[in-house]
Amino acid sequence: MARGTLRIYLGAAPGVGKTYAMLSEAHRRVERGTDCVVAFVEHHHRPRTEVMLHGLEQLPRREIEYRGGTFTEMDVDAVLRRAPKVALVDELAHTNMPGSRNTKRWQDVEELLAAGIDVISTVNIQHLESLGDVVESITGVRQRETVPDEVVRRADQIELVDMSPQALRRRMAHGNIYKPDKVDAALSNYFRPGNLTALRELALLWVADRVDAHLTEYRSEHHVSAIWGSRERIVVGLTGGPEGRTLIRRAARLAEKGAGGEVMAVYISRSDGLTAVSPKELALQRTLVEDLGGTFHQVVGDDIPAALLDFARGVNATQIVLGVSRRRSWQYVFGPGVGATVARESGPDLDVHLITHAEVGKGRGLPVARGARLGRSRVISGWLAGVLGPLLLTWLLKSVVPDIGLANHMLLFLTLTVAAALLGGLLPALASAVVGSTLLNWFFTPPVHTLTVADPQNIVAIVVFVGVAVAVASVVDLAARRTHQAARLRAESEILSFLAGNVLRGETGLEDLLERVRETFGMESVALLERAGEKDPWTCAGSVGPGPATTPDAADVDVPVGDHMALSLCGRVLPAADRRVLAAFAAQAAVVVDRRRLKGEADRAEELAEGNRIRTALLAAVSHDLRTPLAGIKAAVTSLRSDDVEWSEEDQAELLEAIEEGADRLDHLVGNLLDMSRLQTGTVTPIIRETDLDEVVPMALGAVPEDTVDLDVPESLPMVGVDRGLLERSVANIVENAVKYSPPGERVLVSASAMADRVEIRVVDRGPGVPDEVKDRIFEPFQRYGDAPRGDGVGLGLAVARGFAEAIGGTLHAEDTPGGGLTMVLAVRTAPGRRRERPDVSPAVTS
């Protein structure tokens, strides 16, 4: 049986109309004769959405009994028995009630697809699992119901349902999304313009990335090498020189001119050793491009223009930004340069920008970190100059240039020998001296065309030529090698200095350090392996790159670090000269691992110190705050038992009232201490069930005088999924704290409102308030802000309130009250499977 297809309407925010769009699509398919049914659609009592259900067949839902309540979920078995062509399943990220066939609704959808049923579903961008942290940072709300990104990516069709923030807020204000009593709270919280704009951007970028992935896959399957300018991708070619920062900023400005522009900086490193640039400068440029929203890439290649163009075409780039060459004028005799070559070979579909900068014409400087040996291309050039150069010079002197004398001939051949030494080293220079002396003897020393020399002076001249040529070649080769050795040492010193600075500052993480190793040496992957003993298996402490080695023997390069740790690199075998710097990296990696372990031990020590601090504070509380009411109780009881005094009924009542008040204070203090102990030990086990706030909140006000609190909890609020006892204790502690700090005659307001998938309880007082820097500290145990007198509690009320709020899946934070005072905001989730009333239409209606 063929697998069914999945179509998803992705909403940029709640209320944009994804369910309405799904139902509209269902009506279009029904009109075309498609067998389409409603497996599960939640209309949230929105009139226009309810109307769209008319004319569509609705399958009955499955009822589930859970903790005394009745809930409805999609009946997967009923859908499979009905076997329609298309099934509508709303809210893909929904979590099913316990006792359901599957835990998540997307798993139900997978069953329908496997049975060959096409599914149309909906989901909001904030419910994608990978965006949970981002959405929480934007809206302040943690989404509990999520769906894996891969489930949505596998959909055959994804249609974005979008709406501008202004239009969505107007729809909200008109009552098309929530009931009128919830509109104000929603508009001032979750549906703020900034929140909606950020969610909209997230949705657009996520869909754009998926489209881009499909485009890349299509180009690969159809072997499309030409660049399709679907959006501006700008590749910045970096040399590691100081002009790179200018190029990156210029590319970022170019990207801003086009919607969705992307900057990709790339550095081409050679395959013959360390990178030819300062690691510190390259690190600065990498940080800059990432700060500007771009990405940094490192590619290994000896032909820089070809590697740069291959990379640009591989990422479907539309523009390349290069700097004007730093070479001096005379250096162009060796070639046109990277910029000119890239511009010539880029083709008509790739624009090349050459950017001027302050380093133009100042020279490229020494080839940093290329090593003491010469590259293959230079050695080949040296042999060509040493062997073919004398032959070409002989032809020119015999055919083009008139006879200029033996001395001048020798100087010209000596020049070729020096050039061969500069390019290829000693051996090509020696070959040039031998070939040159032979040609001088044969063509220019009488008698010509023989290897004999008639004049003894010419014999001396040829011998001197050979000696000078060998000496000059040796000196030039030695100087070149010393220059390269100095350049390598300079590169190594910069790397070691960078590592030493990171050690002192403690900035580099293990993965960042391993990535630095991979980029510096041009490797494919790097892994730090460790084991407990000689016979224990190797484990990976950290790795970067694809396919890291799992054992040191499987790596191309293995650097031991102590007895039980090794740095393993895959990609190519490094020369021995590179291992000294690699050993420094390995030692630094071991330091990073040790630092991480020490930090973990320090954190555990800090937890123990915090426990000791709490125990110390507890002893202080027992010694004062608990003894004070005990002293009052004992004094009252002693007075009542005294036979020396005849107490009146009024006095007796007053003493009994003091005893009762002291006992209540003791009960309250001991209760908070026990609650905090439960929270500290993690033994709080909430029992979540559907609850009406108007039944819980009034019960929490029993410990405060009636004339100190105004209560505003509408009966129309949705039910919440909480532990009733924990919620009541949390609200009671918050209200008691607010009453304590409220001025005489000022009432505390306790109100509740619903927004999106949560309900907020606000406790508003007109007290002195709390500065912003103290707002988080007041929720810590044994903390009392301001001039609260001793004996007024041990500072646990708000700590317990927040602990209980988090235990039931809610949040508690403090805000400033407009006009002065403090507002405590307790947010709890609505019941996920609350049963809603059906509209006055038949549950199964066919057109």
Side-chain angles (χ1 to χ4, degrees), residues 700-721:
L701 308 182
V704 296
E706 294 183 1
D707 59 348
T708 59
V709 177
D710 287 334
L711 186 61
D712 181 17
V713 179
E715 295 181 358
S716 58
L717 288 175
M719 301 181 74
V720 294

Side-chain angles (χ1 to χ4, degrees), residues 445-446 453-463:
T445 305
V453 181
D455 190 347
Q457 293 182 353
N458 292 338
I459 296 177
V460 174
I462 293 176
V463 171

